[in-house]
Amino acid sequence: MLVTMSDSKETDSKRGDEKYNLTEWYKTSSDEDWNIYGKWNGVTLDDLSRNDTRVSDGTHTYRLNSSTVYLFVESSMNDLDVSVYTGGVSYEWQAADRALVITEGGSMTARYVIIKTADASQSAEYSEDVIFIKSLSSETGDGYISQTVYLPDGSEETWDIAEGEITARDLPGFFTYDTDEDGYYILDDAEEMSITKSFIWDGEEGVIANAVVDSEDDLYDTLLTVTVGSYDVEDIEIDGATFEDLHDTDGTDEYTSSISSLSRLIDRIESGRVKKATLYLNVSEDGAVCIFLTSASTK
């Protein structure tokens, strides 16, 4: 069941003792705030893939979008294990799996999909636990730095990252993350795609750093070719990938305007206004998840 949690009343001497009141939160009928569809013992959805835009339980059809949050719940009570992903997952349903779909305000767009499963760890095609950081912040606090990070959907957030976790030498780069006992984020390097020779992309996963594009031929339809060091990675599927321009438009020898999409970048390369560009990519088995432009050189 779903529950809400609350601490004791302010006048109660037990307030703040890390014990909470639990109240069952389950509504079978619509109201102005939330609609909940399904029961743990009743609803089995279809298999999911990262690019799905709809899912049905046989009675209702729900829309999925980049803001849909998926909670995979494994086991129960003290052994509860929960994995959370946003924006798209790949999952093969097992016979014992059940789900709740939560929508808001009468909409049939799924805000939350809560899945009870025997294996909460197998739910994502690519790691949602990957962030991108371009440059080191100068904003510091007591034991942390207040750092701008970018999520796989391209959105920007400010996180308190534990002091010493990153230096300017580490950046730009992709990172996985966790939190320490103080609630500050701690980081580790994200898994890089293995590039030891030139090849045509065929479902390889991982992040790609310092990828160069310098020809109008690097983008063909929805397939992107990049150069990493002395090797090429050809035909990466970029349909559906987010693109964010993070390059310094005031920098020396940089193209001085922002660029809204990968195709616009290639247009500028074709026209000669940009000679080469540097990209950072997070790539799943289905193609690029997000692409960050960090440099657009005019020389």
Side-chain angles (χ1 to χ4, degrees):
M1 67 179 176
L2 298 180
V3 299
T4 58
M5 300 174 60
S6 61
D7 207 344
S8 300
K9 296 180 180 179
E10 293 184 10
T11 56
D12 195 318
S13 62
K14 294 183 179 181
R15 180 176 174 82
D17 63 359
E18 297 185 355
K19 296 181 180 180
Y20 299 89
N21 303 313
L22 302 183
T23 303
E24 183 175 1
W25 186 67
Y26 192 87
K27 302 176 184 178
T28 57
S29 61
S30 299
D31 64 21
E32 61 182 9
D33 295 321
W34 301 100
N35 308 318
I36 302 179
Y37 299 92
K39 296 183 178 179
W40 289 133
N41 62 357
V43 174
T44 300
L45 300 180
D46 297 327
D47 292 347
L48 294 171
S49 64
R50 183 176 68 85
N51 295 320
D52 281 345
T53 59
R54 299 184 182 193
V55 68
S56 173
D57 61 13
T59 302
H60 300 94
T61 297
Y62 315 97
R63 292 184 179 274
L64 307 172
N65 59 28
S66 61
S67 298
T68 300
V69 177
Y70 303 83
L71 292 87
F72 287 80
V73 181
E74 180 181 350
S75 192
S76 60
M77 304 301 290
N78 293 337
D79 296 325
L80 189 68
D81 183 16
V82 178
S83 298
V84 182
Y85 303 91
T86 303
V89 296
S90 178
Y91 193 73
E92 294 183 3
W93 287 90
Q94 308 299 317
D97 293 350
R98 294 295 181 264
L100 294 175
V101 176
I102 301 177
T103 67
E104 184 179 15
S107 169
M108 292 303 289
T109 298
R111 284 289 304 277
Y112 301 94
V113 179
I114 306 176
I115 301 159
K116 185 179 180 181
T117 176
D119 189 354
S121 65
Q122 61 173 309
S123 55
E125 282 178 358
Y126 63 93
S127 177
E128 277 288 345
D129 297 332
V130 173
I131 58 170
F132 182 75
I133 301 177
K134 183 190 177 187
S135 56
L136 191 66
S137 171
S138 60
E139 299 293 326
T140 62
D142 185 11
Y144 68 90
I145 63 172
S146 186
Q147 177 67 54
T148 298
V149 304
Y150 297 89
L151 306 183
D153 63 3
S155 61
E156 176 183 333
E157 293 186 357
T158 300
W159 288 11
D160 292 340
I161 296 177
E163 193 174 36
E165 284 297 304
I166 51 172
T167 67
R169 293 189 300 274
D170 301 321
L171 305 177
F174 286 100
F175 301 89
T176 59
Y177 59 88
D178 203 340
T179 54
D180 64 13
E181 62 275 11
D182 297 317
Y184 300 144
Y185 287 96
I186 54 178
L187 306 179
D188 199 358
D189 292 336
E191 184 176 350
E192 293 189 7
M193 184 183 294
S194 178
I195 303 173
T196 58
K197 61 181 180 179
S198 296
F199 63 91
I200 296 176
W201 178 81
D202 185 25
E204 289 81 3
E205 295 186 291
V207 299
I208 304 177
N210 288 307
V212 173
V213 292
D214 57 8
S215 168
E216 63 269 24
D217 297 328
D218 287 338
L219 182 63
Y220 177 76
D221 196 12
T222 64
L223 302 177
L224 176 69
T225 294
V226 299
T227 301
V228 184
S230 57
Y231 300 124
D232 290 337
V233 182
E234 299 182 38
D235 293 353
I236 301 170
E237 176 62 62
I238 54 89
D239 185 34
T242 60
F243 177 88
E244 294 297 323
D245 180 6
L246 305 181
H247 89 281
D248 184 1
T249 56
D250 296 323
T252 303
D253 298 330
E254 289 281 295
Y255 180 71
T256 57
S257 299
S258 60
I259 301 173
S260 60
S261 67
L262 187 57
S263 60
R264 293 289 183 93
L265 171 62
I266 298 302
D267 288 343
R268 282 152 180 75
I269 291 174
E270 183 176 11
S271 69
R273 287 177 285 177
V274 173
K275 297 300 182 183
K276 70 175 183 178
T278 302
L279 306 175
Y280 283 70
L281 301 90
N282 180 3
V283 182
S284 79
E285 63 181 18
D286 281 347
V289 175
C290 53
I291 302 171
F292 294 100
L293 170 64
T294 59
S295 175
S297 175
T298 60
K299 298 182 69 173

